[in-house]
Amino acid sequence: MEVNSGENTTNWVPIMKKLHMNVLGEKMKKIPKLICRTIWRVGKEDPRRVIHSIKVGLTLTLVSLLYLMEPLFKGFGSNAIWAVMTVVVVLEFTAGATLCKGLNRGLGTVLAGSLAFLIEYVATKTGHIFRAIFIGAALFFIGAIATYMRFFPYIKKNYDYGVVIFLLTFNLITISSYRVDNVLKIAHQRFYTIAIGCGICLLMSLLIFPNWSGEDLHNFTAAKFEGLAKSIEACVNEYFTDEEQQKGRENSSDLEDPIYNGYKTVLDSKSFDETLALYASWEPRHSRHCYRFPWQQYVKLGNVLRHFGYTIVALHGCLQTEIQTPRSVRVMFKDPCIRLAGEVTKALKELGDSIRYRRQCSPEILSDHLHEALQDLNNAIKSQPKLFIGSKNNTNKLTLATVVSKGQPGALNSRKVSLSSVKTDTSALLEWKSKLMGRENSKENYERKSLRPTLSKIAITSLEFSEALPFAAFASLLVEIVARLDLVIEEVEELGRIAHFKEYNQDDDHVVNVKLDEKHTMPMQNELPTHAGD
C-alpha cells in the first residue's frame, strides 16, 4: 500500500507541474490584451492625455538638440542637460501648472544666482580659511531662513516650488565656487539652458493645443451638479423599489453604485478645486472679454456643494440602516417623495447648465412645483398621524427574545429589521437577561457569546417606537436637501454676477450630456503635480 501511494504521488507531480505551467501560460497570454485595454481606456476617458503625451515627446526632442547638434553643444557644453531636466520637471498637463512651475523655477534660479554671486564676492575678499567659514555660515543662515519661509501660508501656496529651486541652486553655486575657479561661466550656462527649457515649455503649453486649468475647474464644477442630481434621483427611486431588486443592488460594490458615484467625486474634490484655482490664477486672460475670472468663487461654491453632498450621504445611509420602515408604509408616501426629488433634480441640472454655458440661472428655478411637492409631502404625512405614534397593542407580533428561545438565530442576522416585527415590551428584555445569567455549561456560554451583539438591538426594539420612524428620518433629510438648495442657488448667482455671465434667455435650451466619471474626473497624479514631490 505504501509503495502504491508513493508511486501515485510520483505520477501526480509532473501532472501538477504541467497544469501549473498551462495556467501560467494562459495568464501570460492575457497580459498584452490587458495592457492594450488599459491604454485604450485611459485615452478614451480624456483624449487630451494623448495630445499631452505627444507634446512632451516633441518638446524633449527639440530641447535635446542642444546636446545633439555640434554647434549648440560647443556653446553650452554638458550644461545642456539642464534644459532636458527642466522640460521633464516643468512641462505639466495644463498651461496654468506649467506657468506656475516655470516662473517659480526661473525666479528661484535668478534670486539664488544673484545671492550666490554676492556671497562669492564677499568671500573672495577674505582669506582661504575665513572664506570657508563665511560660506558655511552663509549656507546655514540662508538655508534656515528659506526653509522657515516655506511654512508661511502664502509662500507655501504660491511659491513653494520656487523656494526649493532657490535652495538647490544657491547651494550648488556657492559650494562649487570654493573649488572651481570658473563657476561664474558655469552658472551663466546653466541659467541660459534653464531659461531655454522653460521658454520651450511655455510655448508648447500656451500655443499648441493648450489645456487651461480654469476651463477644467469650470467644467468640473458644472459636472458636480449633474452627479448630485443623479445621486438624489437614484437614492429616492431605490428607497421605494421592491425588496428583491434592492437585495440585488446590495450585492454590488460601492464602485458600481450610481448613488455613491454621484456624490463621491464632489466630497473628494476639495484639494482638486484648490489646486486648479491656484493654477488658473497664473494663466493669462484668454477669454473673449478678458474678464478676470473669480476662481476662488468656484472654490467657495465647491465648499457649499460638499455640505450639500453630506446630506445626500445621510439620505443614502437611510437605505442601509438596520431598522427599516415596512414596504407597505413606504408606498403611501412614494409619489410625493419622488415628485419632490424630481423637482430638486431639475433645479440642480438647471444650475449646472447655467454654469456650463456661462449664463445667469433662471429666475424661476425655485418654481411653484417645488413648493407644491413639499406641501404634498407634508399633507401625506399629516394624513397618517397614527403611523408616527407608537401602538401599545402589538399582541400579534413576536418578540425578539421569543425568536431567540426558539433557536432562530438567522432572524437576528437579517440586514433589514422592521420595528413592527418585535413586541414593544420591556419585560422581554429583562426576561432575556435573566436567562443569560443562569447559563453555566459550555454550550450555553457559547450561545451567550453569539447572542451578546444583539443586546443593543433588543434594547432599541423593546421601546415604544413608531414603525414609520425610519421613514420620518428619510423625509426630514429630503426636506433638508430642499433647504440647502437655497444656499447653493445663492452661491451660483454670486458666481454669475462676479464672473459677468450673460443674462438668462428662455430660448437658450441646451442638452446636457456630461458624464462625471469620464472627461471631468480628477486627473491622475502626473496631471496635477505637487511641488514638494518634484
Side-chain angles (χ1 to χ4, degrees):
M1 294 299 290
E2 294 180 357
V3 175
N4 293 335
S5 62
E7 291 177 356
N8 292 335
T9 305
T10 305
N11 293 334
W12 274 104
V13 169
I15 296 176
M16 296 301 296
K17 288 183 177 179
K18 187 175 181 180
L19 290 175
H20 179 70
M21 294 300 296
N22 291 336
V23 173
L24 184 61
E26 292 294 331
K27 291 182 178 180
M28 294 297 292
K29 291 180 181 179
K30 294 180 180 179
I31 291 178
K33 184 183 295 184
L34 180 62
I35 294 175
C36 295
R37 189 180 303 169
T38 304
I39 294 174
W40 175 261
R41 177 179 57 81
V42 172
K44 187 179 179 181
E45 287 178 355
D46 193 349
R48 299 178 302 169
R49 296 171 180 172
V50 179
I51 298 175
H52 176 69
S53 302
I54 297 174
K55 287 166 59 177
V56 173
L58 179 60
T59 306
L60 289 174
T61 303
L62 291 175
V63 79
S64 64
L65 296 178
L66 297 176
Y67 222 88
L68 299 177
M69 297 182 67
E70 192 67 23
L72 296 176
F73 181 76
K74 289 181 178 180
F76 295 101
S78 60
N79 290 309
I81 198 65
W82 285 82
V84 180
M85 295 173 59
T86 301
V87 170
V88 174
V89 174
V90 170
L91 187 56
E92 296 294 341
F93 184 74
T94 61
T98 304
L99 278 167
C100 179
K101 296 192 70 174
L103 295 179
N104 268 274
R105 189 177 182 86
L107 182 62
T109 302
V110 171
L111 293 178
S114 303
L115 185 59
F117 291 145
L118 178 62
I119 297 296
E120 173 64 16
Y121 177 77
V122 176
T124 53
K125 302 299 182 180
T126 61
H128 187 71
I129 297 178
F130 288 100
R131 182 184 179 188
I133 297 175
F134 181 78
I135 290 176
L139 291 176
F140 171 77
F141 285 108
I142 298 299
I145 293 173
T147 303
Y148 187 75
M149 290 177 63
R150 292 183 63 188
F151 294 104
F152 295 177
Y154 180 77
I155 293 179
K156 185 175 182 63
K157 179 180 179 181
N158 296 279
Y159 302 104
D160 185 70
Y161 181 69
V163 176
V164 173
I165 296 299
F166 169 82
L167 281 173
L168 176 63
T169 307
F170 176 78
N171 281 273
L172 288 177
I173 296 176
T174 305
I175 295 175
S176 300
S177 64
Y178 186 74
R179 297 291 183 183
V180 181
D181 295 332
N182 60 344
V183 66
L184 183 61
K185 181 180 178 181
I186 296 175
H188 282 166
Q189 290 177 346
R190 289 184 179 179
F191 174 75
Y192 293 147
T193 54
I194 291 174
I196 291 173
C198 290
I200 294 176
C201 290
L202 294 179
L203 289 176
M204 294 294 292
S205 296
L206 297 176
L207 301 181
I208 300 179
F209 299 105
N211 299 320
W212 304 106
S213 300
E215 290 293 330
D216 284 353
L217 178 60
H218 178 87
N219 294 329
F220 181 67
T221 302
K224 289 179 185 178
F225 290 89
E226 186 75 12
L228 293 176
K230 290 180 179 179
S231 291
I232 295 175
E233 186 176 12
C235 186
V236 175
N237 289 335
E238 184 173 344
Y239 190 76
F240 294 101
T241 53
D242 296 335
E243 188 173 359
E244 292 76 10
Q245 297 178 357
Q246 191 169 5
K247 286 183 179 179
R249 293 176 183 177
E250 288 176 3
N251 295 330
S252 61
S253 61
D254 287 341
L255 296 177
E256 300 174 356
D257 189 356
I259 307 175
Y260 178 77
N261 289 335
Y263 62 73
K264 177 182 180 296
T265 308
V266 178
L267 300 183
D268 297 341
S269 64
K270 178 177 174 58
S271 60
F272 179 64
D273 290 345
E274 292 176 350
T275 304
L276 278 183
L278 172 63
Y279 291 153
S281 64
W282 286 83
E283 292 177 350
R285 303 180 187 181
H286 53 275
S287 61
R288 182 176 60 182
H289 301 288
C290 290
Y291 290 132
R292 181 175 178 82
F293 257 67
W295 303 118
Q296 291 302 319
Q297 191 66 30
Y298 282 87
V299 178
K300 293 181 180 180
L301 178 58
N303 294 332
V304 174
L305 287 177
R306 273 191 299 277
H307 285 85
F308 186 85
Y310 296 150
T311 311
I312 302 178
V313 175
L315 192 70
H316 189 198
C318 291
L319 276 66
Q320 302 172 342
T321 55
E322 294 291 338
I323 301 173
Q324 291 285 337
T325 300
R327 298 283 173 179
S328 58
V329 177
R330 297 191 208 180
V331 174
M332 302 171 61
F333 308 98
K334 178 178 180 180
D335 292 338
C337 286
I338 291 180
R339 182 183 176 189
L340 181 60
E343 294 298 329
V344 174
T345 299
K346 181 180 178 182
L348 287 173
K349 290 182 178 180
E350 167 61 26
L351 292 173
D353 287 349
S354 65
I355 293 179
R356 181 174 293 109
Y357 301 112
R358 291 183 172 86
R359 60 171 174 80
Q360 301 285 345
C361 58
S362 172
E364 298 180 356
I365 188 169
L366 290 179
S367 61
D368 294 336
H369 298 290
L370 181 61
H371 297 289
E372 291 175 359
L374 277 172
Q375 189 63 37
D376 290 343
L377 178 59
N378 184 41
N379 294 335
I381 293 175
K382 286 184 176 180
S383 64
Q384 303 293 335
K386 294 182 179 180
L387 289 176
F388 299 93
I389 301 176
S391 175
K392 297 182 179 180
N393 298 320
N394 291 329
T395 56
N396 295 329
K397 311 297 182 182
L398 291 175
T399 65
L400 194 56
T402 305
V403 176
V404 172
S405 63
K406 289 184 178 181
Q408 299 177 4
L412 296 177
N413 298 326
S414 60
R415 178 65 180 168
K416 301 290 187 290
V417 179
S418 174
L419 281 170
S420 60
S421 63
V422 294
K423 179 181 179 180
T424 55
D425 188 2
T426 55
S427 60
L429 178 60
L430 298 175
E431 180 182 356
W432 185 81
K433 286 183 178 180
S434 62
K435 288 182 179 180
L436 286 180
M437 297 298 293
R439 295 175 180 174
E440 296 180 356
N441 55 48
S442 59
K443 181 178 179 180
E444 290 177 344
N445 288 336
Y446 174 76
E447 292 178 354
R448 177 182 180 181
K449 292 180 180 179
S450 63
L451 295 175
R452 187 178 299 166
T454 64
L455 176 61
S456 60
K457 187 178 293 185
I458 292 180
I460 293 174
T461 54
S462 63
L463 300 178
E464 195 69 36
F465 285 141
S466 165
E467 62 182 4
L469 184 61
F471 170 77
F474 181 84
S476 64
L477 288 172
L478 198 58
V479 175
E480 178 67 16
I481 287 177
V482 178
R484 294 198 178 194
L485 184 61
D486 290 335
L487 301 177
V488 177
I489 294 175
E490 291 178 2
E491 289 296 329
V492 173
E493 291 178 345
E494 181 69 12
L495 174 62
R497 183 184 63 81
I498 299 176
H500 302 281
F501 286 169
K502 63 181 180 181
E503 295 294 331
Y504 173 78
N505 188 0
Q506 193 173 2
D507 297 332
D508 295 338
D509 293 330
H510 303 278
V511 179
V512 180
N513 289 317
V514 178
K515 293 184 179 180
L516 188 62
D517 56 343
E518 290 186 0
K519 183 175 180 180
H520 299 293
T521 51
M522 284 181 276
M524 296 181 292
Q525 186 66 26
N526 61 339
E527 296 178 15
L528 281 181
T530 56
H531 300 330
D534 298 323

